[in-house]
């Protein structure tokens, strides 16, 4: 997809999202909130996977840190949302800086395994640190600001935060830094010879991806009125990776499509059967064998063949 | 027909349609949202509870329903994930208009859903979660009701049984997680003269217990109490038997290992003399109401040797039906108020929900496993129904 068609897609999507609360269905409103949060999470991972070419299996750690920190700051320290949320995102970014500094020294599968290890470390701390995190019972009962207690208001808040985050990621992807990220993905050695400090750029990308994941985690904790250890577990990281692969890693809007479709499928299939994991396994097989470039790749092929005809 | 008349006709038609919709909703089935683990390692728990729910709903509907309306079950899989569990609850509330819920099954998912129940003002009956936190402190609210005995209650009952079997000193072992810590804390708080000789915890889902078994054998205690469950419990049993742990010490296990499903799974490998607890055992013969329930359950499942989980779902439906009946309405606030202090007859006798704590005084069985002639599955003997 060209930049123009992707921008047109995002603009159309934004208009549709503006209309959702007026459709009169609270279910649809609530569902869209979750889809927006998961889309933001997938977009954040795509900074690493799609732009830099680093596959992280520990991205859920920053989602969880953002969520738990927001829960803690709002409920225990009773900070206003305007302070609690940025502080939570900052905390996740600091963690990302420390973890990333070690991870970006490694390549490919070693990078993926180390991120997975750190993610499980975060999960372990969440399980053990019961006075702060609630242990395996989770952090329950977040004190939300009054203005966010209605589903409609929470929807507008989520839409605003997700839209701003998406816009920032779009600007990043088109900036010089974004182009350097792509250069590293395409040929790390050549980028190095061109004077790019590859490790430093990878670390910056790692922290930025974690920052937006923390924003998604923060929103999720407020939506769920709690945060739970499963949010940091490796399966959650795997879920995000599948979302990105399903949508297509080499386009900006791909992860949005992937995350939305995956979540909507999950919700729909759950209403009829408990065999969702089987369906997700099939989706993964199809993506790997038939759709290596995801849904975006499929649309591109269809568009090309239609134009030829 | 002029414009005014046409508008008037339309308004009357719309009003009639709206009234008919309301009337249909009031006459239609009462929807009950059931959220349980139906996939993964805990599916057998969810399936068991759901069997009890189905049986009770069948009985209620065959008896004419509640307020003349049948109960309708809407089942969702919680997957042991609080985010999935709460999403399912929100979906049932906003899409299906459900106002009464049974489940989820585990502590973490129950805590999460209870927050939604509080916010949405819908009735939430927890059939099996044991965590104190569900109905303690700020988490207690008007719409959450906990039927399973909490870990505090389990602690008191465990000590009662330990004293009854002459325990003088105990060692603790189990997974290093919330249930273990809460249960052991409750035992410690009540054990009085019984001496603690050490705690030997293992990481969650560990399967190699050789070091722990050696520590337990050399510890100066006459009784061991533990919490491993599922495959890890089986692994512990298989590893501890050759070391002679069950011959040299009295062993009492939590985590509902008295369930017949556990005995059936372990068969001859279940060591004789192991003390355990269960919400129900099919071979208990002390109450006619229990015999009648077991007969109905056996018919429903097509097997006589049933597991313990169905009774938890069964009692949850019976409480809900009785509360709606008492309230005379399905309005969740009224139903929740009716549940406060409500007493119903269950297969194991009268159970009451405490209006202060919203907890039921559900009894549990404690007993000692012994092999049975003609059966591969051991049964608990010296059976005591602890209230």
């Amino acid at each position: 997809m060209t930049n123009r068609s992707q921008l047109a897609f995002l603009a159309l999507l934004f208009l549709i999202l503006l209309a959702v609360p007026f459709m009169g269905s609270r279910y649809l409103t609530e569902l869209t909130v979750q889809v927006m949060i998961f889309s933001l999470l997938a977009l954040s991972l795509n900074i690493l996977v799609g732009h830099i070419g680093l596959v992280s299996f520990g991205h859920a750690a920053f989602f969880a840190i953002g969520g738990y920190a927001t829960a803690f700051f709002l409920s225990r320290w009773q900070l206003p949302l305007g302070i609690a949320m940025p502080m939570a995102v900052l905390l996740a970014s600091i963690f990302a800086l420390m973890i990333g500094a070690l991870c970006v020294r490694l390549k490919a599968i070693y990078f993926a395994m180390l991120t997975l290890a750190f993610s499980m470390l975060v999960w372990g701390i969440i399980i053990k640190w019961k006075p702060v995190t609630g242990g395996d019972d989770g952090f329950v009962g977040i004190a939300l600001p009054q203005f966010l207690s209605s589903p409609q208001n929470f929807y507008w808040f989520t839409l605003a935060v997700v839209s701003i985050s998406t816009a920032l990621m779009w600007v990043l992807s088109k900036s010089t830094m974004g182009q350097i990220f792509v250069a590293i993905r395409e040929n790390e050695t050549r980028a190095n010879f061109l004077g790019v400090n590859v490790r430093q750029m990878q670390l910056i990308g790692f922290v930025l991806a974690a920052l937006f994941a923390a924003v998604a985690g923060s929103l999720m904790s407020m939506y769920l009125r709690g945060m739970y250890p499963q949010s940091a577990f490796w399966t959650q990281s795997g879920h995000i990776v599948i979302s990105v692969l399903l949508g297509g890693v080499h386009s900006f809007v791909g992860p949005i499509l992937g995350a939305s479709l995956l979540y909507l499928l999950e919700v729909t299939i759950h209403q009829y059967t408990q065999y969702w994991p089987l369906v997700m396994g099939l989706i993964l097989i199809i993506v790997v064998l038939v759709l290596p470039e995801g849904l975006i790749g499929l649309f591109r092929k269809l568009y090309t063949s239609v134009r030829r005809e | 027909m002029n414009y005014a008349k046409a508008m008037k006709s339309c308004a009357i038609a719309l009003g009639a349609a709206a009234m008919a919709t309301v009337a249909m909703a009031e006459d239609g089935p009462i929807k009950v949202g059931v959220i349980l683990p139906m996939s993964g390692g805990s599916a057998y728990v969810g399936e068991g509870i759901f069997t009890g729910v189905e049986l009770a709903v069948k009985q209620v509907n065959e008896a004419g329903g509640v307020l003349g309306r049948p109960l309708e079950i809407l089942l969702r899989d919680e997957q042991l994930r609080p985010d999935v569990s709460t999403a399912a609850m929100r979906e049932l509330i906003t899409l299906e208009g459900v106002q009464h819920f049974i489940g989820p099954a585990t502590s973490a998912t129950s805590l999460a859903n209870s927050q939604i129940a509080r916010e949405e003002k819908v009735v939430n009956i927890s059939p099996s979660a044991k965590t104190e936190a569900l109905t303690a402190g700020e988490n207690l609210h008007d719409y959450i009701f906990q039927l399973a005995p909490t870990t505090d209650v389990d602690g008191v009952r465990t000590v009662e049984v330990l004293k009854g079997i002459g325990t003088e000193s105990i060692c603790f072992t189990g997974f290093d997680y919330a249930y273990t810590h809460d249960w052991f804390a409750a035992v410690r708080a009540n054990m009085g003269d019984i001496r603690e000789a050490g705690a030997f915890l293992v990481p969650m889902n560990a399967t190699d217990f050789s070091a722990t078994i050696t520590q337990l054998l050399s510890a100066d205690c006459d009784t061991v109490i533990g919490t491993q469950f599922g495959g890890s419990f089986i692994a512990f049993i298989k590893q501890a038997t050759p070391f002679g742990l069950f011959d040299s010490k009295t062993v009492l296990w939590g985590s509902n290992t008295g369930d017949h499903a556990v005995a059936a799974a372990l068969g001859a490998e279940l060591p004789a003399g192991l003390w355990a607890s269960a919400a129900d055992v099919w071979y208990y013969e002390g109450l006619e109401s229990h015999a009648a329930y077991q007969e109905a359950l056996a018919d429903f499942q097509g097997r006589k040797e049933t597991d313990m989980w169905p009774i938890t779902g069964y009692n949850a439906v019976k409480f809900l039906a009785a509360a709606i009946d008492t309230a005379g309405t399905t309005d969740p606030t009224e139903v929740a108020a009716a549940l406060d202090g409500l007493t119903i007859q269950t297969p194991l006798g009268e159970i009451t929900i405490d209006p202060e704590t919203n907890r039921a005084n559900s009894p549990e069985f404690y007993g000692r496993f012994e092999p049975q002639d003609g059966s591969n599955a051991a049964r608990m003997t010296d059976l005591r129904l602890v209230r």
Side-chain angles (χ1 to χ4, degrees):
Chain A
M1 281 174 96
T2 60
N3 283 346
R4 208 167 61 178
S5 57
Q6 291 199 86
L7 267 179
F9 173 84
L10 288 173
L12 180 67
L13 187 62
F14 183 69
L15 288 175
I16 293 170
L17 291 172
L18 280 178
V20 165
F22 301 106
M23 292 179 186
S25 165
R26 200 186 136 194
Y27 173 67
L28 187 63
T29 308
E30 301 253 5
L31 188 67
T32 312
V33 166
Q34 294 167 74
V35 169
M36 284 194 284
I37 295 171
F38 282 120
S39 297
L40 175 59
L41 185 57
L43 274 174
S44 71
L45 180 65
N46 202 38
I47 295 176
L48 277 180
V49 180
H51 298 177
I52 307 181
L54 289 171
V55 179
S56 168
F57 275 104
H59 202 54
F62 307 110
F63 178 69
I65 293 171
Y68 272 103
T70 304
F72 187 86
F73 293 145
L74 279 176
S75 303
R76 298 280 169 81
W77 287 2
Q78 297 183 336
L79 296 176
L81 180 67
I83 297 173
M85 205 170 159
M87 269 179 66
V89 174
L90 181 67
L91 186 71
S93 305
I94 293 168
F95 271 97
L97 188 64
M98 293 188 295
I99 294 171
L102 296 169
C103 292
V104 296
R105 293 162 189 263
L106 303 177
K107 289 180 184 175
I109 188 71
Y110 303 103
F111 171 84
M113 288 300 108
L114 196 57
T115 53
L116 175 64
F118 275 114
S119 163
M120 292 309 290
L121 189 69
V122 169
W123 176 80
I125 291 168
I126 289 169
I127 290 283
K128 291 284 179 190
W129 204 8
K130 197 170 180 183
V132 171
T133 62
D136 44 12
D137 281 344
F139 194 117
V140 182
I142 293 180
L144 269 191
Q146 192 62 35
F147 78 97
L148 286 181
S149 57
S150 90
Q152 296 272 336
N153 287 356
F154 195 83
Y155 180 90
W156 293 123
F157 178 72
T158 307
L159 179 60
V161 173
V162 171
S163 301
I164 292 166
S165 301
T166 307
L168 287 173
M169 279 187 273
W170 172 267
V171 171
L172 171 74
S173 72
K174 304 303 163 198
S175 67
T176 309
M177 186 184 281
Q179 299 306 313
I180 293 172
F181 285 167
V182 174
I184 293 171
R185 180 192 75 198
E186 291 301 314
N187 194 326
E188 195 179 313
T189 314
R190 186 174 292 175
N192 202 8
F193 273 106
L194 287 172
V196 173
N197 187 335
V198 172
R199 295 288 163 264
Q200 192 183 62
M201 293 310 289
Q202 284 176 330
L203 182 59
I204 290 170
F206 193 89
V207 173
L208 287 173
L211 184 150
F212 288 110
V215 173
S218 180
L219 288 171
M220 186 54 92
S221 70
M222 287 188 279
Y223 174 71
L224 293 175
R225 313 296 194 259
M227 202 65 188
Y228 306 96
Q230 288 85 346
S231 60
F233 205 58
W234 68 269
T235 47
Q236 178 76 51
S237 294
H239 202 273
I240 313 167
V241 172
I242 294 172
S243 298
V244 174
L245 292 178
L246 177 63
V249 290
H250 293 153
S251 78
F252 186 84
V253 299
I256 298 175
L257 286 175
S260 306
L261 184 66
L262 200 66
Y263 189 70
L264 291 175
L265 272 175
E266 183 177 357
V267 168
T268 311
I269 290 168
H270 264 144
Q271 290 173 14
Y272 302 102
T273 174
Q274 66 265 32
Y275 297 113
W276 161 245
L278 187 72
V279 177
M280 193 158 79
L282 284 173
I283 290 171
L284 188 58
I285 291 170
I286 291 167
V287 168
V288 171
L289 296 179
V290 187
L291 298 171
E293 288 182 47
L295 293 171
I296 290 294
L298 177 71
F299 293 149
R300 198 180 289 140
K301 276 181 192 166
L302 287 173
Y303 180 71
T304 311
S305 63
V306 167
R307 279 198 69 173
R308 267 192 206 138
E309 283 172 16
Chain B
M1 192 186 283
N2 60 28
Y3 178 75
K5 273 187 179 174
M7 287 305 289
K8 198 175 169 184
S9 303
C10 284
I12 290 169
L14 278 172
M19 282 167 72
T21 310
V22 170
M24 273 173 68
E26 283 178 355
D27 292 339
I30 299 168
K31 293 178 178 176
V32 181
V34 179
I35 302 173
L36 295 168
M38 302 303 287
S39 58
S42 294
Y44 83 99
V45 174
E47 284 162 5
I49 298 171
F50 187 60
T51 301
V53 167
E54 280 184 303
L55 175 63
V57 165
K58 180 174 167 275
Q59 288 180 353
V60 167
N61 288 347
E62 281 173 359
V66 189
L67 306 178
R69 296 164 63 186
L71 298 179
E72 182 190 354
I73 304 167
L74 295 168
L75 174 69
R76 295 292 182 268
D77 182 9
E78 59 160 276
Q79 296 182 58
L80 299 183
R81 281 173 53 194
D83 57 333
V84 172
S85 185
T86 49
M89 194 173 194
R90 284 184 197 271
E91 179 251 313
L92 288 172
I93 294 169
T94 56
L95 197 63
E96 303 284 352
V98 177
Q99 295 178 313
H100 310 98
F101 287 87
I102 291 172
T106 60
S107 297
T109 48
S110 299
L111 278 162
N113 280 34
S114 171
Q115 298 305 313
I116 309 294
R118 184 209 296 257
E119 200 175 291
E120 300 290 340
K121 295 183 170 47
V122 294
V123 173
N124 184 189
I125 299 177
S126 167
S128 56
K130 279 180 170 281
T131 180
E132 287 286 315
L134 185 60
T135 47
E138 289 181 358
N139 289 337
L140 176 62
H141 57 85
D142 292 343
Y143 298 89
I144 180 71
F145 300 91
Q146 191 171 16
L147 299 194
T150 61
T151 41
D152 270 13
V153 175
D154 276 353
V156 174
R157 290 174 176 176
T158 305
V159 171
E160 214 173 283
V161 173
L162 289 173
K163 285 181 175 169
I165 58 179
T167 295
E168 290 179 358
S169 54
I170 50 177
C171 297
F172 296 98
T173 186
F175 286 143
D176 189 0
Y177 82 125
Y179 169 76
T180 301
H181 292 288
D182 292 349
W183 185 42
F184 289 174
V187 171
R188 284 188 183 107
N190 293 283
M191 62 191 204
D193 293 339
I194 299 175
R195 181 174 52 82
E196 180 178 344
F200 308 98
L201 302 188
V202 292
M204 192 73 184
N205 294 326
T207 50
D208 179 6
F209 304 107
S210 48
T212 312
I213 292 164
T214 316
Q215 286 173 318
L216 289 169
L217 280 166
S218 58
D220 180 23
C221 57
D222 56 53
T223 303
V224 173
I225 69 172
T227 63
Q228 285 95 329
F229 56 84
S232 297
F233 171 67
I234 294 169
F236 184 89
I237 295 286
K238 287 183 175 176
Q239 289 167 38
T241 304
F243 280 96
L245 181 72
F246 301 100
D247 301 324
S248 58
K249 294 185 192 295
T250 302
V251 181
L252 186 150
W253 223 257
S255 307
N256 296 305
T257 38
D259 184 9
H260 178 73
V262 175
L266 273 167
E269 286 178 307
L270 185 65
L274 176 76
W275 284 82
S277 65
D280 188 26
V281 286
W282 65 270
Y283 41 84
Y284 174 66
E285 294 172 343
L287 287 166
E288 279 181 23
S289 54
H290 184 257
Y293 160 75
Q294 278 299 335
E295 195 182 334
L297 183 61
D299 278 349
F300 192 69
Q301 290 200 288
R303 60 186 166 102
K304 189 182 171 192
E305 299 183 353
T306 59
D307 304 335
M308 62 160 255
W309 292 109
I311 203 165
T312 61
Y314 184 87
N315 287 345
V317 173
K318 293 288 178 164
F319 261 113
L320 180 62
I324 294 173
D325 208 29
T326 305
T329 170
T330 56
D331 177 69
T333 304
E334 303 271 338
V335 175
L339 277 163
D340 282 337
L342 185 67
T343 300
I344 64 162
Q345 279 297 333
T346 74
L348 295 177
E350 277 189 354
I351 297 182
T352 302
I353 291 178
D354 185 323
E356 296 297 316
T357 61
N358 286 8
R359 294 173 183 169
N361 58 343
S362 303
E364 271 192 323
F365 288 98
Y366 281 78
R368 193 181 70 250
F369 274 114
E370 294 294 344
Q372 298 295 308
D373 289 338
S375 171
N376 194 36
R379 289 185 203 170
M380 288 203 286
T381 56
D382 200 2
L383 204 57
R384 47 196 82 181
L385 183 59
V386 186
R387 294 185 186 277

